[in-house]
Amino acid sequence: MRQRSLTAVVLAAVLAATTGCTVERHWGGNTNTGGSGKAKVGLVTKTDTNPYFVELRNSARAAAQANGADFSALAGQFDGDNDGQVRAIENLRQQGANTILITPSSSTGVLKAIKDARDAGVLVIALDTATDPPDAVDATFATDNFAAGEQQGAYVKAALKGVPPKLLMVDGTAGSSVDTQRHTGFLKGIGLTDGSPEIKGHTAANGDQSLAQQGMENLLQRSTDINAVYSMNEPMGRGAYAALKARGLTGQIVMGSIDGGCEGVQNVKDGLYAATVMQFPKKMAEQGVLAAVEYAKTGKKPSGFVNTGSAVITDKPLPGIESHDTAWGLQNCWGGTK
C-alpha cells in the first residue's frame, strides 16, 4: 500500500510538470462507461485561481464526496489555455473518468478532445460555458449568459435615468461564448449595438483584474467623458474601478458586472459598482455530479441546455428591474448559504 501511494504521488507530480495543468487528485484504471456503477468524475476548469472556478471545483468535490463518487480536478494555467484543457481531457480519460465536466476556454478549441472522449463512452457535460456547437457535449449546465448580460444592461440603462450612455466596455476572452453572449446581451439591455456611437471604447482583459485596470487606463487616456462601464466579470470590474478611482471618475460612472461571488457582492455593498448579476456555480457543479452518478449507475445521460439561473444584486433598486439587496446576496453568493 505504501509503495502504491508513493507511485501515485510521483505520477501526479509528473503529470503536473508535463501537462501544463494544475492537478488536484488522481485515480487510475481504464475508462468506465455508463452503467458500471462507480462514478469517476473529472473536472476541467479554465483556471484554478479565479474565485469563480475555485467555487465550482470545491462544490463539485463536495458533491462527489456526498454521493460516493471519485473526483479529480485539472485546470488550464490561464483563461484561454486551450491546449492545457485538451491535455487535461486526455489525462482524465487515461485515469479512468467516466464523466468529464468542463468549462471550455474556447467554445471550439476542445471539440476534438471532447469527441474522442464521448466516442470512448465518457459522458461530457459543459459547465458555465457552452461549446459551439452546443451538441458537441451531452449537456450543458450553465447560466443563460445572454440573459445575464441583458439584466446588467437593463440595470445600467435604468440607472442613467434617461441620460444617453457614454460607454466603455471591458470584455473577456475574445471568441469565448460566455464573452460573446454577455457582451451582446448587455448591448440589448442598454439598447445599443456594436456600431453605436455611444460606445466610446473597448478593451479585452481575459477575465483578469490587472489586465482590466491596464486596459481601462489606456481607454481613459483617450477620453474621460464617460458615464457607464460594462465589465464582463467581477475581477475585471475591480480592475476597471481602480483605474477610474485613480482618475477621480467613480462618482460619475454607473458600472455593472456579472458573477455574484461573495467578494463581488461586497464590492457592490462598498460602492465599487452599482450592481452585479449573480450566477449559481454551486448548482451547476452539483447537478453535473448528480448526472455523473446517474450515468455511472444506469447509463442514462442528460441532454440539452439547463439554465441554472441568475439574479441582479444591488442596494439601489430601480423600477422595472427585479433585484435582491446585498444582504441577500451575501447569504446566497454563488448558490451557497454563507
Side-chain angles (χ1 to χ4, degrees):
M1 286 296 294
R2 183 167 180 172
Q3 179 61 37
R4 215 168 151 188
S5 299
L6 179 59
T7 301
V9 170
V10 172
L11 175 60
V14 170
L15 284 170
T18 59
T19 63
C21 307
T22 56
V23 179
E24 178 174 296
R25 179 188 168 198
H26 292 277
W27 18 257
N30 295 325
T31 298
N32 296 311
T33 57
S36 64
K38 179 70 170 179
K40 295 185 175 182
V41 184
L43 173 68
V44 181
T45 52
K46 297 178 184 180
T47 74
D48 67 349
T49 56
N50 184 306
Y52 181 86
F53 298 118
V54 172
E55 176 66 25
L56 194 74
R57 184 182 69 229
N58 291 343
S59 296
R61 187 199 307 111
Q65 291 173 346
N67 287 277
D70 289 337
F71 180 74
S72 180
L74 300 173
Q77 292 184 314
F78 53 87
D79 197 334
D81 182 15
N82 183 66
D83 290 343
Q85 288 200 315
V86 169
R87 290 191 294 271
I89 294 170
E90 293 168 350
N91 287 337
L92 288 170
R93 284 182 56 199
Q94 292 170 6
Q95 295 166 33
N98 48 30
T99 294
I100 294 176
L101 311 175
I102 181 168
T103 62
S105 285
S106 167
S107 297
T108 58
V110 292
L111 296 188
K112 184 180 184 304
I114 289 173
K115 182 179 184 302
D116 290 345
R118 293 179 72 192
D119 287 348
V122 178
L123 172 67
V124 182
I125 298 173
L127 302 182
D128 175 72
T129 304
T131 54
D132 183 12
D135 62 2
V137 292
D138 292 287
T140 301
F141 298 156
T143 306
D144 182 334
N145 282 293
F146 183 90
E150 188 174 8
Q151 287 172 290
Q152 185 195 157
Y155 182 89
V156 172
K157 180 178 181 178
L160 290 173
K161 299 179 180 179
V163 176
K166 298 176 183 179
L167 175 67
L168 294 179
M169 302 191 73
V170 184
D171 290 308
T173 302
S176 162
S177 61
V178 171
D179 179 66
T180 300
Q181 290 162 7
R182 291 184 186 181
H183 175 102
T184 54
F186 178 88
L187 291 180
K188 181 180 179 183
I190 202 171
L192 302 175
T193 65
D194 272 316
S196 297
E198 292 88 348
I199 301 174
K200 304 304 179 182
H202 299 261
T203 186
N206 295 342
D208 183 81
Q209 182 170 332
S210 296
L211 290 177
Q213 182 173 346
Q214 294 167 13
M216 180 60 71
E217 288 168 351
N218 292 337
L219 291 174
L220 293 174
Q221 288 177 5
R222 303 175 198 170
S223 175
T224 58
D225 185 21
I226 57 171
N227 61 9
V229 171
Y230 159 81
S231 66
M232 182 263 193
N233 72 7
E234 289 166 354
M236 294 193 299
R238 288 188 282 274
Y241 176 84
L244 292 164
K245 184 178 180 181
R247 290 269 187 155
L249 299 174
T250 56
Q252 72 185 50
I253 302 298
V254 177
M255 179 162 58
S257 195
I258 300 175
D259 264 351
C262 294
E263 184 177 1
V265 175
Q266 187 65 45
N267 292 158
V268 173
K269 184 175 182 179
D270 294 341
L272 273 68
Y273 27 89
T276 192
V277 181
M278 181 179 288
Q279 305 182 87
F280 300 98
K282 184 173 185 287
K283 185 184 295 185
M284 298 176 201
E286 289 175 346
Q287 291 184 358
V289 169
L290 289 175
V293 171
E294 178 67 21
Y295 176 62
K297 287 181 179 178
T298 68
K300 180 181 178 181
K301 295 182 177 182
S303 62
F305 178 84
V306 178
N307 180 14
T308 50
S310 57
V312 175
I313 307 297
T314 183
D315 286 330
K316 299 176 181 178
L318 295 168
I321 307 293
E322 184 177 350
S323 65
H324 297 278
D325 63 18
T326 57
W328 184 93
L330 289 170
Q331 285 295 315
N332 296 278
C333 37
W334 279 340
T337 301
K338 304 297 177 182

